[in-house]
Amino acid sequence: MKTIELKNGLKLEMDENTMDNMELVDTLAEAADDDPLAVSRMVKLVLGTKGRKKLYDSLRTEDGRVPVAAVSDAIKEIFEAFGEKGKN
């Protein structure tokens, strides 16, 4: 397991093999092709359902929204934390 702490203080326990997933690569390709729904699938593939809720709750604004830009930034942080594995 790998512990990742995001800039907002959220700590996530993640499997070391999270990035070794062809479905994740496919979803990244869809996101690169401007599929707006790919970000949601990507978050679920990387964090799972419970982890996604935990992330969303940590980013939720006072009016209850979860800003897309904040989620995108958090996913970038997660990929960076995985280093070379996250780039492949």
Side-chain angles (χ1 to χ4, degrees):
M1 293 299 275
K2 181 177 185 78
T3 301
I4 296 173
E5 185 170 356
L6 301 180
K7 291 176 186 172
N8 71 353
L10 176 65
K11 290 182 182 178
L12 299 166
E13 289 288 326
M14 299 184 64
D15 186 303
E16 297 272 344
N17 297 312
T18 296
M19 299 299 166
D20 186 20
N21 181 347
M22 192 60 208
E23 290 178 328
L24 178 58
V25 173
D26 291 342
T27 303
L28 288 168
E30 292 167 4
D33 286 339
D34 294 328
D35 178 352
L37 301 177
V39 174
S40 179
R41 287 190 298 272
M42 183 185 329
V43 174
K44 189 172 182 181
L45 284 169
V46 171
L47 299 176
T49 302
K50 289 180 183 180
R52 180 174 64 178
K53 179 170 179 9
K54 190 174 177 181
L55 174 66
Y56 287 4
D57 287 345
S58 78
L59 300 173
R60 197 170 304 284
T61 62
E62 288 183 22
D63 65 358
R65 292 178 308 106
V66 180
V68 175
V71 173
S72 294
D73 289 344
I75 288 295
K76 287 177 190 172
E77 283 185 62
I78 292 167
F79 274 75
E80 288 169 2
F82 273 91
E84 288 302 312
K85 281 187 178 181
K87 294 178 184 174
N88 293 336

